[in-house]
Amino acid sequence: MNLAEKYHNIQQQVPSSVQLIAVSKTKPQEDIRELYQLGQRDFGENKIQEMCDKSAVLPSDIRWHMIGHVQTNKVKYMIDFVHLIHGVDSLKLLKEINKRAQNIDKIQNVLLQLKVAEEDSKFGMSFADAQEILSQEIDKLQNVKIIGIMGMATFTDNRKQIQDEFNTLKNYFDQLKVISPNLQEISMGMSSDFPLAIAEGSTMIRVGSSIFGHRN
Ligand SMILES: *Cc1c(COP(=O)(O)O)cnc(C)c1O
């Protein structure tokens, strides 16, 4: 299948209530343009430098999603154009985003990344940390808006485990929404597991290799 066929194939599996973010990391701008011409506007990158380089040359109505781990000292490079920062995993990072957003008079939408996978390699805060931020810190941070949570399941063939982890994220979301009724998004699901994520309540899936092909 070519790129357009792969894209349509994925689109057919995504209900209209779920947002598809095309993860274009490592892929050339021509691939992004091709998807753009097919109507795709939401693209995900995991490196700030690469996202900056691409945004500088691609259409300005693309909504750029930072889905990777964010170092505090790099927030300043993306703050003027990033649409949604998915990987907010500490209060320190949240405060830095708030400060940079304040400087340019922007309200930055973000997601709190929660850790549910068993792997040490996965980033994310605990449920307790998220509770504390939403109940005690967020009112002091006028230039960030937490609109939901993000998470990744363990890299495993065990479907039941993946399903349980997505279900845990959905439960966390439901409990956090009691504290913070503004929450509306659950970013979970990638190429290998997005149907499971959608079944468990995902509102945003981040799909790379199933659209663009394997990365080196
Ligand atoms: C790379 C990446 C994806 C997309 O992964 P695929 O398996 O290629 O769909 C999704 N989420 C995050 C955080 C990623 O880094």
Side-chain angles (χ1 to χ4, degrees), residues 118-131:
E118 64 184 17
E119 292 144 288
D120 289 339
S121 61
K122 300 261 155 83
F123 291 101
M125 62 176 70
S126 67
F127 175 62
D129 288 344
Q131 272 181 312

Side-chain angles (χ1 to χ4, degrees), residues 18-25 32 40-52 54-55 61-70 78 81-88 106 108-111 147 149-150 185-188 203-207:
V18 175
Q19 206 182 338
L20 170 62
I21 298 162
V23 176
S24 47
K25 62 188 185 195
I32 300 177
Q40 180 69 23
R41 290 295 178 272
D42 292 90
F43 290 89
E45 292 283 337
N46 72 336
K47 294 208 166 64
I48 291 175
Q49 182 65 54
E50 185 177 343
M51 187 173 76
C52 290
K54 286 173 173 170
S55 84
D61 62 341
I62 285 181
R63 292 183 289 267
W64 292 101
H65 295 252
M66 176 38 62
I67 63 170
H69 181 64
V70 177
M78 65 173 169
F81 70 93
V82 68
H83 176 68
L84 179 62
I85 303 173
H86 291 232
V88 176
K106 179 184 185 186
Q108 180 63 56
N109 285 345
V110 304
L111 305 178
I147 63 165
I149 65 171
M150 179 267 209
E185 306 292 351
I186 310 177
S187 167
M188 60 181 188
T203 67
M204 288 183 160
I205 56 171
R206 310 175 308 267
V207 178

